[in-house]
Amino acid sequence: MPNIVSEAGLQTRAGQWWDSIPFLTSAVVIVCGVIYLICILVGYDSFYEVCFLPEAIVSHFQVYRIYTSIIFHGSLLHVLFNMLALVPLGSELERIMGSIRLLYTIILLATSNAIFHLIIALVVAHNPFHPFEHLMNECAIGFSGILFSMIVIETSLSGVQSRSVFGLFNVPAKWYAFILLVVFQLLMTNVSLLGHLCGILSGFAYTFGLFNFLIPGPSFYTAIESSSWLASCVRRPKFILCSGGNPSAYTPTYTAQNSPSSALFSGNIWRNLSSWMPQRGTTAQPAQDDPRFPGRGRTLGSVQNTAVNSDSNLQARLLDNSRPTSPSDIAAAGAGERLSNERQLQVSDAVAVGAGGYPLPQMPQVASEEQIQKLLSMGFERTQVEVAIAAADGDLNVAVEILMSQQG
């Protein structure tokens, strides 16, 4: 019996982890994983036909290699390492940008990586002093070039002054991507130095606003999200909308910031990031003063997106003296906000009734013993479980995210 409980706990945690990954990030993981699995099953290993090969692109105009090279991988460790690195980076950026915007950004970064790669390879291979012609025949494959671009963008958005390299030592944040480039080059064989370097260059070009003229306005993303052929994807709970009421279309770059004292660098950085994250709901919201991210979005499942916020946000939510702290009071307060000032909440057994005489749904008042026991079996304390379930309005998935963020 203990083994069964332990296995169930692992399956539950694995399921919660996968459910917390946004739509596009999980889709990229699935696509790359399935492609590699198919290659294994059919015995396909002719990666020379799909990799990024400067000579083939210049001589035969095989531009498809720009995009096929990022979804194919050469080994199990290659695809596993890249996807494990993608999950935290892609999830954070997708929650900030939205699913469609991140997809456009990945395509943009893949294109710019290829352009930088071609230019550098041509210049170095044909320089009159010491030509390195082998760069034109270097076959690059894998998603790691995009990952290095994401590392630069995420580091820029975080606003931190230093970063830890595998927990061994700290380096200045602006040099973090370059340090990783050198470390991977020294520790691993058959690593494309030029491919990773071009990813870093594309990331810096994006953060400094050099690609802003290529970024479409919010109406572009709204049109895609409202199209009928994408309706099944948009309805999925993990899909994050990026359209909103703000008419500006600035990207998260330095050019969108007015001064070093902007919200990006002040206060708790995770609280600042959470203010940019798309929020749940379908009604239009008024335009915000901050033009960095024009849209809002739908959270994962319920409110899973906000689980990545700092512990200070959670404590402020649960321990604020101005808010009720008991489960029933928290549920009553949540329902009262939804009914607005025109309706009153009946916290007794009576059902709340609106102006038209129709009963209004009430939020769950007390956590059931079955819900509490499910979370207790995962190793959490009973008091924390009761508060988390009440804060999550009875949603066990959200309660688990809250409890895990407290432990982190």
Side-chain angles (χ1 to χ4, degrees):
M1 182 63 66
N3 293 335
I4 295 177
V5 174
S6 177
E7 292 178 1
L10 290 176
Q11 293 177 358
T12 301
R13 290 178 181 270
Q16 293 292 337
W17 173 78
W18 179 254
D19 290 339
S20 67
I21 303 175
F23 177 80
L24 180 65
T25 304
S26 59
V28 174
V29 172
I30 292 175
V31 169
C32 292
V34 169
I35 288 178
Y36 179 76
L37 181 61
I38 293 176
C39 291
I40 293 296
L41 294 178
V42 302
Y44 181 84
D45 58 356
S46 300
F47 299 117
Y48 198 79
E49 300 175 354
V50 295
C51 68
F52 184 85
L53 190 63
E55 182 64 32
I57 296 177
V58 173
S59 302
H60 305 288
F61 201 65
Q62 297 177 351
V63 293
Y64 66 88
R65 293 176 178 269
I66 296 175
Y67 307 105
T68 57
S69 61
I70 67 175
I71 58 177
F72 281 83
H73 292 80
S75 67
L76 177 61
L77 289 179
H78 190 197
V79 64
L80 183 63
F81 185 85
N82 279 357
M83 295 304 102
L84 288 178
L86 170 66
V87 168
L89 287 171
S91 298
E92 182 173 349
L93 292 178
E94 185 171 355
R95 292 183 182 110
I96 296 172
M97 298 181 180
S99 299
I100 298 298
R101 186 187 294 272
L102 180 60
L103 175 60
Y104 182 87
T105 302
I106 290 177
I107 297 174
L108 177 63
L109 292 174
T111 306
S112 61
N113 288 359
I115 294 175
F116 282 132
H117 197 143
L118 279 175
I119 294 175
I120 296 176
L122 286 170
V123 171
V124 175
H126 297 92
N127 75 87
F129 305 103
H130 194 291
F132 294 88
E133 297 182 357
H134 68 278
L135 290 180
M136 294 297 296
N137 296 311
E138 182 182 79
C139 187
I141 194 172
F143 203 80
S144 52
I146 305 296
L147 291 177
F148 270 90
S149 299
M150 288 183 170
I151 289 173
V152 174
I153 297 173
E154 191 276 333
T155 301
S156 173
L157 288 174
S158 68
V160 296
Q161 299 300 318
S162 62
R163 275 288 173 91
S164 174
V165 180
F166 304 123
L168 300 177
F169 55 91
N170 292 334
V171 297
K174 62 182 179 180
W175 298 108
Y176 178 62
F178 292 102
I179 298 298
L180 288 181
L181 174 68
V182 174
V183 170
F184 287 138
Q185 198 67 30
L186 294 176
L187 296 181
M188 300 180 182
T189 60
N190 297 329
V191 174
S192 176
L193 174 63
L194 186 55
H196 292 171
L197 177 61
C198 292
I200 295 176
L201 295 178
S202 293
F204 277 112
Y206 182 87
T207 58
F208 281 104
L210 300 183
F211 296 154
N212 280 3
F213 70 98
L214 297 173
I215 304 297
S219 59
F220 172 81
Y221 305 110
T222 303
I224 295 178
E225 291 169 346
S226 59
S227 61
S228 58
W229 57 272
L230 200 62
S232 60
C233 295
V234 174
R235 286 195 298 264
R236 298 185 67 86
K238 301 205 299 182
F239 190 93
I240 301 179
L241 296 174
C242 56
S243 57
N246 196 326
S248 60
Y250 293 109
T251 56
T253 65
Y254 290 121
T255 58
Q257 302 171 12
N258 297 326
S259 65
S261 61
S262 64
L264 180 62
F265 296 100
S266 61
N268 188 308
I269 185 60
W270 300 114
R271 186 181 302 134
N272 296 332
L273 285 177
S274 67
S275 67
W276 301 336
M277 289 182 185
Q279 301 297 321
R280 180 173 63 177
T282 57
T283 58
Q285 297 181 351
Q288 303 294 325
D289 294 333
D290 189 352
R292 262 184 290 263
F293 300 102
R296 58 170 177 77
R298 186 176 59 206
T299 55
L300 308 183
S302 312
V303 289
Q304 294 179 1
N305 290 351
T306 58
V308 297
N309 293 346
S310 63
D311 290 342
S312 60
N313 285 342
L314 179 63
Q315 294 170 359
R317 179 184 175 188
L318 298 180
L319 302 180
D320 191 351
N321 292 332
S322 63
R323 296 190 180 190
T325 55
S326 66
S328 60
D329 290 341
I330 292 174
E337 292 176 356
R338 292 205 314 171
L339 296 178
S340 75
N341 294 331
E342 297 180 358
R343 301 180 183 180
Q344 298 182 351
L345 176 67
Q346 302 295 333
V347 292
S348 62
D349 294 338
V351 179
V353 178
Y358 295 97
L360 299 174
Q362 290 186 332
M363 304 298 290
Q365 300 292 325
V366 181
S368 66
E369 185 63 26
E370 181 181 0
Q371 291 177 317
I372 295 176
Q373 290 300 326
K374 286 182 179 181
L375 297 185
L376 290 178
S377 65
M378 298 175 65
F380 301 113
E381 297 182 2
R382 186 180 185 89
T383 303
Q384 295 178 334
V385 167
E386 292 176 347
V387 175
I389 293 179
D393 297 333
D395 192 322
L396 289 183
N397 293 337
V398 179
V400 171
E401 294 293 336
I402 294 176
L403 292 169
M404 293 181 68
S405 66
Q406 285 181 309
Q407 292 183 348

